[in-house]
């Protein structure tokens, strides 16, 4: 990307849409990703694409799921929007067996979007040793089975686990050694949290 531009330079840096039978395992590790987007204005007429221009987007479908994906040892800079996105935006059921995020640091963010976002259909999410601005798990549709999220040694401004779907979604969150400085939104889930400091959502 070129800093300060308002053209198609805001497109996703890496995107994959699974096909055929999907794939079993993928690792993205040991990288510095400088998105070079601190001064990029919103392009006219492309607001949705701009907001969803994740640096890395792994789009899985129910017919072509991902068994497991692991992000580890990443240093993320200057995101346009979301840094790391996994799952399916359309709510197609279970599309990812397991998503692992470990040893990730994100810095120099100009706009409030998620550094890590897990969309519909991830059965198990594991997070450890993170220092990022925002983490989001978004369920636009109720999951088809129980979903588990485990987090330890996580530092973030916003932890958004509320999702946008119906109230009958079922998932479980376990957090240890968490520090959420601005807002922890834990609506609509069962949770156990220990040895942590959270600022809860003002409206919930």
């Amino acid at each position: 990307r070129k800093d300060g531009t308002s053209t198609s330079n805001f497109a996703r840096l890496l995107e994959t849409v699974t096909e055929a039978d999907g794939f079993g395992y993928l690792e993205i590790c040991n990288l510095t990703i400088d998105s070079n987007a601190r001064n990029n204005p919103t392009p006219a007429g492309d607001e949705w694409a701009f907001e969803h221009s994740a640096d890395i987007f792994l789009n899985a479908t129910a017919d072509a799921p991902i068994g497991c994906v692991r992000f580890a040892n990443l240093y993320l800079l200057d995101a346009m929007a979301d840094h790391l996105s996994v799952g399916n935006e359309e709510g197609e059921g279970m599309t990812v067996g397991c998503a692992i995020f470990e040893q990730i640091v994100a810095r120099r963010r100009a706009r409030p979007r998620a550094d890590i976002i897990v969309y519909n259909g991830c059965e198990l999410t594991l997070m450890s040793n993170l220092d990022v601005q925002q983490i989001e798990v978004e369920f636009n549709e109720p999951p088809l089975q129980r979903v588990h999220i485990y987090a330890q040694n996580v530092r973030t401004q916003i932890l958004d686990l509320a999702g946008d779907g119906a109230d009958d979604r079922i998932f479980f969150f376990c957090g240890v050694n968490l520090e959420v400085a601005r807002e922890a939104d834990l609506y609509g889930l069962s949770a156990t949290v220990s040895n942590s400091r959270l600022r809860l959502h003002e409206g919930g």
Side-chain angles (χ1 to χ4, degrees):
R1 291 194 182 111
K2 296 179 180 179
D3 192 31
T5 61
S6 58
T7 62
S8 59
N9 287 301
F10 68 83
R12 290 165 175 163
L13 299 181
L14 172 64
E15 178 175 10
T16 180
V17 179
T18 58
E19 297 179 356
D21 296 324
F23 55 85
Y25 187 75
L26 173 68
E27 280 192 343
I28 298 176
C29 303
N30 306 320
L31 295 173
T32 293
I33 302 174
D34 187 347
S35 302
N36 195 30
R38 184 183 300 182
N39 300 310
N40 293 53
T42 304
D46 285 319
E47 288 83 1
W48 189 92
F50 186 76
E51 286 297 313
H52 292 81
S53 56
D55 289 343
I56 297 177
F57 185 78
L58 305 181
N59 186 6
T61 66
D63 293 332
I66 297 172
C68 182
V69 59
R70 176 175 176 255
F71 297 93
N73 301 322
L74 301 180
Y75 187 48
L76 310 174
L77 295 167
D78 246 354
M80 173 69 71
D82 304 323
H83 269 302
L84 309 175
S85 297
V86 178
N88 184 277
E89 295 173 299
E90 307 303 325
E92 291 194 0
M94 285 302 174
T95 60
V96 181
C98 178
I100 302 170
F101 302 89
E102 56 187 10
Q103 302 288 350
I104 297 173
V105 174
R107 292 287 183 267
R108 292 199 329 235
R109 170 175 287 283
R111 301 192 310 126
R113 292 287 297 184
D115 293 311
I116 295 172
I117 181 165
V118 179
Y119 283 106
N120 298 283
C122 185
E123 187 173 357
L124 174 64
T125 300
L126 305 175
M127 297 180 283
S128 64
N129 302 316
L130 307 181
D131 186 355
V132 298
Q133 178 174 302
Q134 181 172 335
I135 298 169
E136 182 177 352
V137 177
E138 182 173 311
F139 291 106
N140 295 326
E141 301 288 341
L144 302 180
Q145 62 195 70
R146 183 171 292 276
V147 170
H148 292 263
I149 305 165
Y150 297 92
Q152 65 176 1
N153 303 326
V154 171
R155 222 175 133 191
T156 186
Q157 294 289 312
I158 297 174
L159 179 64
D160 181 0
L161 304 181
D164 297 323
D167 292 344
D168 59 351
R169 59 193 181 279
I170 302 171
F171 65 103
F172 174 75
F173 173 69
C174 177
V176 180
N177 296 330
L178 310 180
E179 182 176 342
V180 182
R182 238 171 66 202
E183 179 180 311
D185 196 344
L186 307 178
Y187 173 77
L189 51 79
S190 298
T192 174
V193 178
S194 61
N195 300 325
S196 299
R197 182 170 60 183
L198 312 179
R199 182 183 295 277
L200 298 178
H201 190 325
E202 293 181 359

